[in-house]
Amino acid sequence: MRLLARVLTAGALTAASLAAAGAASSVATAKPAQAETILTGQWEYNTRFGPIPIGSDQHCIKQVDVDNFNRGICLKRYTCDYDTRVVQDGKIALKGTWTDKKGRVAPVTAKGSYTPESFRLNVNGKTVNGIPMVATVEAKRLSATCTAG
């Protein structure tokens, strides 16, 4: 998620950082009543801003990250309000707004898919400055345990 945040904040793109990213997040939920989404462990994220590859990064996904993923993905620096929030049966559909700490609001729509060991999220929206934004985050689980560091 930090990579997506850097990508989207670069060039005045402060509103959308997923990927999620985020942004994004991953792990099997510990609650037996919930369906499994993504698993914890070491993950690799590949991010594109439009058609341009921005980079690749690895993240240790913990249960808190999975919980964030299940709620519809939101970065710490934003308040995320989704009119549409679907994360189930291998599908992701989000539509709403992200509000930064200064109260600036940016509309965002994200669609994608996931398995316990991978996900893809396509994000469309505008930055808090009104600049159109399109980003894609693809992630895959590398291992069940995280590497040190």
PDB file of all heavy atoms in Angstrom, residues 93-120:
ATOM      1  N   ALA A  93     -15.772  -4.504  -5.759  1.00  0.00           N
ATOM      2  CA  ALA A  93     -16.436  -3.366  -6.397  1.00  0.00           C
ATOM      3  C   ALA A  93     -16.600  -2.278  -5.341  1.00  0.00           C
ATOM      4  O   ALA A  93     -17.249  -2.494  -4.319  1.00  0.00           O
ATOM      5  CB  ALA A  93     -17.790  -3.767  -6.965  1.00  0.00           C
ATOM      6  N   LEU A  94     -15.983  -1.134  -5.573  1.00  0.00           N
ATOM      7  CA  LEU A  94     -16.030  -0.026  -4.627  1.00  0.00           C
ATOM      8  C   LEU A  94     -16.385   1.257  -5.369  1.00  0.00           C
ATOM      9  O   LEU A  94     -15.886   1.502  -6.467  1.00  0.00           O
ATOM     10  CB  LEU A  94     -14.663   0.167  -3.956  1.00  0.00           C
ATOM     11  CG  LEU A  94     -14.047  -1.045  -3.287  1.00  0.00           C
ATOM     12  CD1 LEU A  94     -12.601  -0.759  -2.905  1.00  0.00           C
ATOM     13  CD2 LEU A  94     -14.855  -1.435  -2.071  1.00  0.00           C
ATOM     14  N   LYS A  95     -17.231   2.068  -4.765  1.00  0.00           N
ATOM     15  CA  LYS A  95     -17.542   3.374  -5.321  1.00  0.00           C
ATOM     16  C   LYS A  95     -17.849   4.298  -4.164  1.00  0.00           C
ATOM     17  O   LYS A  95     -18.666   3.966  -3.298  1.00  0.00           O
ATOM     18  CB  LYS A  95     -18.736   3.305  -6.267  1.00  0.00           C
ATOM     19  CG  LYS A  95     -19.030   4.634  -6.926  1.00  0.00           C
ATOM     20  CD  LYS A  95     -20.128   4.523  -7.952  1.00  0.00           C
ATOM     21  CE  LYS A  95     -20.302   5.883  -8.614  1.00  0.00           C
ATOM     22  NZ  LYS A  95     -21.334   5.834  -9.639  1.00  0.00           N
ATOM     23  N   GLY A  96     -17.163   5.421  -4.138  1.00  0.00           N
ATOM     24  CA  GLY A  96     -17.376   6.360  -3.052  1.00  0.00           C
ATOM     25  C   GLY A  96     -16.392   7.502  -3.105  1.00  0.00           C
ATOM     26  O   GLY A  96     -16.004   7.952  -4.188  1.00  0.00           O
ATOM     27  N   THR A  97     -15.982   7.945  -1.919  1.00  0.00           N
ATOM     28  CA  THR A  97     -15.055   9.076  -1.829  1.00  0.00           C
ATOM     29  C   THR A  97     -13.965   8.798  -0.810  1.00  0.00           C
ATOM     30  O   THR A  97     -14.156   8.034   0.139  1.00  0.00           O
ATOM     31  CB  THR A  97     -15.793  10.364  -1.412  1.00  0.00           C
ATOM     32  OG1 THR A  97     -16.414  10.145  -0.141  1.00  0.00           O
ATOM     33  CG2 THR A  97     -16.821  10.783  -2.445  1.00  0.00           C
ATOM     34  N   TRP A  98     -12.829   9.415  -1.049  1.00  0.00           N
ATOM     35  CA  TRP A  98     -11.736   9.426  -0.084  1.00  0.00           C
ATOM     36  C   TRP A  98     -11.557  10.883   0.336  1.00  0.00           C
ATOM     37  O   TRP A  98     -11.464  11.774  -0.510  1.00  0.00           O
ATOM     38  CB  TRP A  98     -10.441   8.909  -0.697  1.00  0.00           C
ATOM     39  CG  TRP A  98     -10.465   7.442  -1.024  1.00  0.00           C
ATOM     40  CD1 TRP A  98     -11.424   6.527  -0.724  1.00  0.00           C
ATOM     41  CD2 TRP A  98      -9.452   6.731  -1.728  1.00  0.00           C
ATOM     42  NE1 TRP A  98     -11.075   5.286  -1.187  1.00  0.00           N
ATOM     43  CE2 TRP A  98      -9.871   5.382  -1.807  1.00  0.00           C
ATOM     44  CE3 TRP A  98      -8.244   7.099  -2.296  1.00  0.00           C
ATOM     45  CZ2 TRP A  98      -9.102   4.402  -2.438  1.00  0.00           C
ATOM     46  CZ3 TRP A  98      -7.485   6.118  -2.925  1.00  0.00           C
ATOM     47  CH2 TRP A  98      -7.910   4.785  -2.989  1.00  0.00           C
ATOM     48  N   THR A  99     -11.484  11.126   1.642  1.00  0.00           N
ATOM     49  CA  THR A  99     -11.309  12.468   2.167  1.00  0.00           C
ATOM     50  C   THR A  99      -9.987  12.520   2.911  1.00  0.00           C
ATOM     51  O   THR A  99      -9.716  11.699   3.778  1.00  0.00           O
ATOM     52  CB  THR A  99     -12.466  12.827   3.133  1.00  0.00           C
ATOM     53  OG1 THR A  99     -13.706  12.643   2.448  1.00  0.00           O
ATOM     54  CG2 THR A  99     -12.339  14.260   3.617  1.00  0.00           C
ATOM     55  N   ASP A 100      -9.143  13.506   2.550  1.00  0.00           N
ATOM     56  CA  ASP A 100      -7.840  13.607   3.212  1.00  0.00           C
ATOM     57  C   ASP A 100      -7.973  14.380   4.518  1.00  0.00           C
ATOM     58  O   ASP A 100      -9.069  14.837   4.886  1.00  0.00           O
ATOM     59  CB  ASP A 100      -6.777  14.190   2.282  1.00  0.00           C
ATOM     60  CG  ASP A 100      -6.956  15.670   1.983  1.00  0.00           C
ATOM     61  OD1 ASP A 100      -7.835  16.329   2.576  1.00  0.00           O
ATOM     62  OD2 ASP A 100      -6.203  16.181   1.139  1.00  0.00           O
ATOM     63  N   LYS A 101      -6.877  14.521   5.240  1.00  0.00           N
ATOM     64  CA  LYS A 101      -6.896  15.154   6.561  1.00  0.00           C
ATOM     65  C   LYS A 101      -7.225  16.641   6.504  1.00  0.00           C
ATOM     66  O   LYS A 101      -7.574  17.240   7.504  1.00  0.00           O
ATOM     67  CB  LYS A 101      -5.567  14.923   7.264  1.00  0.00           C
ATOM     68  CG  LYS A 101      -5.374  13.465   7.637  1.00  0.00           C
ATOM     69  CD  LYS A 101      -4.096  13.218   8.394  1.00  0.00           C
ATOM     70  CE  LYS A 101      -4.002  11.736   8.705  1.00  0.00           C
ATOM     71  NZ  LYS A 101      -2.887  11.398   9.535  1.00  0.00           N
ATOM     72  N   LYS A 102      -7.124  17.246   5.304  1.00  0.00           N
ATOM     73  CA  LYS A 102      -7.472  18.652   5.137  1.00  0.00           C
ATOM     74  C   LYS A 102      -8.928  18.831   4.736  1.00  0.00           C
ATOM     75  O   LYS A 102      -9.364  19.937   4.466  1.00  0.00           O
ATOM     76  CB  LYS A 102      -6.567  19.295   4.081  1.00  0.00           C
ATOM     77  CG  LYS A 102      -5.117  19.365   4.514  1.00  0.00           C
ATOM     78  CD  LYS A 102      -4.274  20.028   3.449  1.00  0.00           C
ATOM     79  CE  LYS A 102      -2.827  20.094   3.900  1.00  0.00           C
ATOM     80  NZ  LYS A 102      -1.975  20.725   2.872  1.00  0.00           N
ATOM     81  N   GLY A 103      -9.677  17.713   4.662  1.00  0.00           N
ATOM     82  CA  GLY A 103     -11.082  17.780   4.313  1.00  0.00           C
ATOM     83  C   GLY A 103     -11.369  17.786   2.820  1.00  0.00           C
ATOM     84  O   GLY A 103     -12.508  17.962   2.403  1.00  0.00           O
ATOM     85  N   ARG A 104     -10.344  17.599   1.998  1.00  0.00           N
ATOM     86  CA  ARG A 104     -10.532  17.570   0.546  1.00  0.00           C
ATOM     87  C   ARG A 104     -11.053  16.198   0.135  1.00  0.00           C
ATOM     88  O   ARG A 104     -10.547  15.182   0.587  1.00  0.00           O
ATOM     89  CB  ARG A 104      -9.224  17.890  -0.182  1.00  0.00           C
ATOM     90  CG  ARG A 104      -8.719  19.292   0.163  1.00  0.00           C
ATOM     91  CD  ARG A 104      -7.403  19.576  -0.473  1.00  0.00           C
ATOM     92  NE  ARG A 104      -6.397  18.656   0.076  1.00  0.00           N
ATOM     93  CZ  ARG A 104      -5.101  18.721  -0.189  1.00  0.00           C
ATOM     94  NH1 ARG A 104      -4.631  19.626  -1.006  1.00  0.00           N
ATOM     95  NH2 ARG A 104      -4.270  17.852   0.346  1.00  0.00           N
ATOM     96  N   VAL A 105     -12.054  16.198  -0.729  1.00  0.00           N
ATOM     97  CA  VAL A 105     -12.747  14.970  -1.117  1.00  0.00           C
ATOM     98  C   VAL A 105     -12.408  14.609  -2.557  1.00  0.00           C
ATOM     99  O   VAL A 105     -12.398  15.476  -3.436  1.00  0.00           O
ATOM    100  CB  VAL A 105     -14.270  15.146  -0.964  1.00  0.00           C
ATOM    101  CG1 VAL A 105     -15.011  13.898  -1.398  1.00  0.00           C
ATOM    102  CG2 VAL A 105     -14.622  15.508   0.478  1.00  0.00           C
ATOM    103  N   ALA A 106     -12.159  13.324  -2.782  1.00  0.00           N
ATOM    104  CA  ALA A 106     -11.873  12.823  -4.130  1.00  0.00           C
ATOM    105  C   ALA A 106     -12.778  11.622  -4.406  1.00  0.00           C
ATOM    106  O   ALA A 106     -12.843  10.699  -3.601  1.00  0.00           O
ATOM    107  CB  ALA A 106     -10.410  12.412  -4.237  1.00  0.00           C
ATOM    108  N   PRO A 107     -13.478  11.643  -5.551  1.00  0.00           N
ATOM    109  CA  PRO A 107     -14.297  10.486  -5.909  1.00  0.00           C
ATOM    110  C   PRO A 107     -13.409   9.336  -6.381  1.00  0.00           C
ATOM    111  O   PRO A 107     -12.367   9.554  -7.007  1.00  0.00           O
ATOM    112  CB  PRO A 107     -15.162  11.009  -7.067  1.00  0.00           C
ATOM    113  CG  PRO A 107     -14.360  12.111  -7.658  1.00  0.00           C
ATOM    114  CD  PRO A 107     -13.562  12.710  -6.539  1.00  0.00           C
ATOM    115  N   VAL A 108     -13.824   8.106  -6.076  1.00  0.00           N
ATOM    116  CA  VAL A 108     -13.039   6.941  -6.485  1.00  0.00           C
ATOM    117  C   VAL A 108     -13.973   5.778  -6.797  1.00  0.00           C
ATOM    118  O   VAL A 108     -15.001   5.603  -6.154  1.00  0.00           O
ATOM    119  CB  VAL A 108     -12.016   6.542  -5.394  1.00  0.00           C
ATOM    120  CG1 VAL A 108     -12.687   6.097  -4.133  1.00  0.00           C
ATOM    121  CG2 VAL A 108     -11.062   5.482  -5.895  1.00  0.00           C
ATOM    122  N   THR A 109     -13.597   5.028  -7.823  1.00  0.00           N
ATOM    123  CA  THR A 109     -14.274   3.796  -8.188  1.00  0.00           C
ATOM    124  C   THR A 109     -13.193   2.749  -8.383  1.00  0.00           C
ATOM    125  O   THR A 109     -12.180   3.022  -9.025  1.00  0.00           O
ATOM    126  CB  THR A 109     -15.073   3.953  -9.503  1.00  0.00           C
ATOM    127  OG1 THR A 109     -16.018   4.999  -9.329  1.00  0.00           O
ATOM    128  CG2 THR A 109     -15.799   2.676  -9.861  1.00  0.00           C
ATOM    129  N   ALA A 110     -13.388   1.570  -7.835  1.00  0.00           N
ATOM    130  CA  ALA A 110     -12.406   0.497  -7.997  1.00  0.00           C
ATOM    131  C   ALA A 110     -13.141  -0.808  -8.260  1.00  0.00           C
ATOM    132  O   ALA A 110     -14.163  -1.089  -7.639  1.00  0.00           O
ATOM    133  CB  ALA A 110     -11.536   0.373  -6.748  1.00  0.00           C
ATOM    134  N   LYS A 111     -12.597  -1.568  -9.197  1.00  0.00           N
ATOM    135  CA  LYS A 111     -13.144  -2.886  -9.498  1.00  0.00           C
ATOM    136  C   LYS A 111     -11.990  -3.843  -9.641  1.00  0.00           C
ATOM    137  O   LYS A 111     -10.908  -3.474 -10.079  1.00  0.00           O
ATOM    138  CB  LYS A 111     -13.953  -2.861 -10.795  1.00  0.00           C
ATOM    139  CG  LYS A 111     -15.230  -2.086 -10.669  1.00  0.00           C
ATOM    140  CD  LYS A 111     -16.076  -2.218 -11.898  1.00  0.00           C
ATOM    141  CE  LYS A 111     -17.366  -1.444 -11.673  1.00  0.00           C
ATOM    142  NZ  LYS A 111     -18.278  -1.592 -12.788  1.00  0.00           N
ATOM    143  N   GLY A 112     -12.236  -5.080  -9.260  1.00  0.00           N
ATOM    144  CA  GLY A 112     -11.181  -6.060  -9.390  1.00  0.00           C
ATOM    145  C   GLY A 112     -11.633  -7.440  -8.989  1.00  0.00           C
ATOM    146  O   GLY A 112     -12.824  -7.708  -8.832  1.00  0.00           O
ATOM    147  N   SER A 113     -10.633  -8.287  -8.829  1.00  0.00           N
ATOM    148  CA  SER A 113     -10.900  -9.667  -8.441  1.00  0.00           C
ATOM    149  C   SER A 113      -9.794 -10.126  -7.503  1.00  0.00           C
ATOM    150  O   SER A 113      -8.724  -9.518  -7.448  1.00  0.00           O
ATOM    151  CB  SER A 113     -10.962 -10.562  -9.681  1.00  0.00           C
ATOM    152  OG  SER A 113      -9.728 -10.504 -10.369  1.00  0.00           O
ATOM    153  N   TYR A 114     -10.088 -11.198  -6.757  1.00  0.00           N
ATOM    154  CA  TYR A 114      -9.091 -11.731  -5.845  1.00  0.00           C
ATOM    155  C   TYR A 114      -9.253 -13.240  -5.712  1.00  0.00           C
ATOM    156  O   TYR A 114     -10.315 -13.799  -5.966  1.00  0.00           O
ATOM    157  CB  TYR A 114      -9.186 -11.069  -4.460  1.00  0.00           C
ATOM    158  CG  TYR A 114     -10.463 -11.404  -3.722  1.00  0.00           C
ATOM    159  CD1 TYR A 114     -10.534 -12.532  -2.902  1.00  0.00           C
ATOM    160  CD2 TYR A 114     -11.592 -10.615  -3.836  1.00  0.00           C
ATOM    161  CE1 TYR A 114     -11.705 -12.855  -2.231  1.00  0.00           C
ATOM    162  CE2 TYR A 114     -12.767 -10.929  -3.176  1.00  0.00           C
ATOM    163  CZ  TYR A 114     -12.813 -12.057  -2.372  1.00  0.00           C
ATOM    164  OH  TYR A 114     -13.962 -12.372  -1.710  1.00  0.00           O
ATOM    165  N   THR A 115      -8.145 -13.854  -5.319  1.00  0.00           N
ATOM    166  CA  THR A 115      -8.116 -15.239  -4.862  1.00  0.00           C
ATOM    167  C   THR A 115      -7.385 -15.178  -3.531  1.00  0.00           C
ATOM    168  O   THR A 115      -6.855 -14.121  -3.170  1.00  0.00           O
ATOM    169  CB  THR A 115      -7.356 -16.166  -5.841  1.00  0.00           C
ATOM    170  OG1 THR A 115      -5.957 -15.849  -5.769  1.00  0.00           O
ATOM    171  CG2 THR A 115      -7.868 -16.036  -7.267  1.00  0.00           C
ATOM    172  N   PRO A 116      -7.285 -16.262  -2.794  1.00  0.00           N
ATOM    173  CA  PRO A 116      -6.542 -16.200  -1.538  1.00  0.00           C
ATOM    174  C   PRO A 116      -5.069 -15.798  -1.723  1.00  0.00           C
ATOM    175  O   PRO A 116      -4.455 -15.276  -0.810  1.00  0.00           O
ATOM    176  CB  PRO A 116      -6.645 -17.622  -0.990  1.00  0.00           C
ATOM    177  CG  PRO A 116      -7.943 -18.125  -1.541  1.00  0.00           C
ATOM    178  CD  PRO A 116      -8.019 -17.541  -2.925  1.00  0.00           C
ATOM    179  N   GLU A 117      -4.518 -15.982  -2.931  1.00  0.00           N
ATOM    180  CA  GLU A 117      -3.100 -15.701  -3.133  1.00  0.00           C
ATOM    181  C   GLU A 117      -2.808 -14.678  -4.220  1.00  0.00           C
ATOM    182  O   GLU A 117      -1.658 -14.528  -4.649  1.00  0.00           O
ATOM    183  CB  GLU A 117      -2.367 -17.007  -3.416  1.00  0.00           C
ATOM    184  CG  GLU A 117      -2.432 -17.933  -2.215  1.00  0.00           C
ATOM    185  CD  GLU A 117      -1.431 -19.066  -2.267  1.00  0.00           C
ATOM    186  OE1 GLU A 117      -0.679 -19.188  -3.234  1.00  0.00           O
ATOM    187  OE2 GLU A 117      -1.404 -19.843  -1.292  1.00  0.00           O
ATOM    188  N   SER A 118      -3.819 -13.921  -4.662  1.00  0.00           N
ATOM    189  CA  SER A 118      -3.567 -12.871  -5.656  1.00  0.00           C
ATOM    190  C   SER A 118      -4.758 -11.921  -5.696  1.00  0.00           C
ATOM    191  O   SER A 118      -5.849 -12.249  -5.250  1.00  0.00           O
ATOM    192  CB  SER A 118      -3.350 -13.473  -7.044  1.00  0.00           C
ATOM    193  OG  SER A 118      -4.542 -14.055  -7.523  1.00  0.00           O
ATOM    194  N   PHE A 119      -4.506 -10.732  -6.226  1.00  0.00           N
ATOM    195  CA  PHE A 119      -5.613  -9.834  -6.520  1.00  0.00           C
ATOM    196  C   PHE A 119      -5.185  -8.820  -7.563  1.00  0.00           C
ATOM    197  O   PHE A 119      -4.007  -8.586  -7.801  1.00  0.00           O
ATOM    198  CB  PHE A 119      -6.184  -9.155  -5.272  1.00  0.00           C
ATOM    199  CG  PHE A 119      -5.310  -8.129  -4.626  1.00  0.00           C
ATOM    200  CD1 PHE A 119      -5.308  -6.808  -5.051  1.00  0.00           C
ATOM    201  CD2 PHE A 119      -4.515  -8.478  -3.548  1.00  0.00           C
ATOM    202  CE1 PHE A 119      -4.513  -5.860  -4.424  1.00  0.00           C
ATOM    203  CE2 PHE A 119      -3.726  -7.548  -2.914  1.00  0.00           C
ATOM    204  CZ  PHE A 119      -3.716  -6.235  -3.359  1.00  0.00           C
ATOM    205  N   ARG A 120      -6.190  -8.260  -8.216  1.00  0.00           N
ATOM    206  CA  ARG A 120      -5.989  -7.193  -9.193  1.00  0.00           C
ATOM    207  C   ARG A 120      -7.062  -6.146  -8.922  1.00  0.00           C
ATOM    208  O   ARG A 120      -8.237  -6.479  -8.775  1.00  0.00           O
ATOM    209  CB  ARG A 120      -6.117  -7.715 -10.615  1.00  0.00           C
ATOM    210  CG  ARG A 120      -5.981  -6.620 -11.664  1.00  0.00           C
ATOM    211  CD  ARG A 120      -6.281  -7.160 -13.058  1.00  0.00           C
ATOM    212  NE  ARG A 120      -6.338  -6.082 -14.017  1.00  0.00           N
ATOM    213  CZ  ARG A 120      -5.339  -5.747 -14.831  1.00  0.00           C
ATOM    214  NH1 ARG A 120      -4.222  -6.450 -14.820  1.00  0.00           N
ATOM    215  NH2 ARG A 120      -5.466  -4.743 -15.663  1.00  0.00           N
TER     216      ARG A 120
END
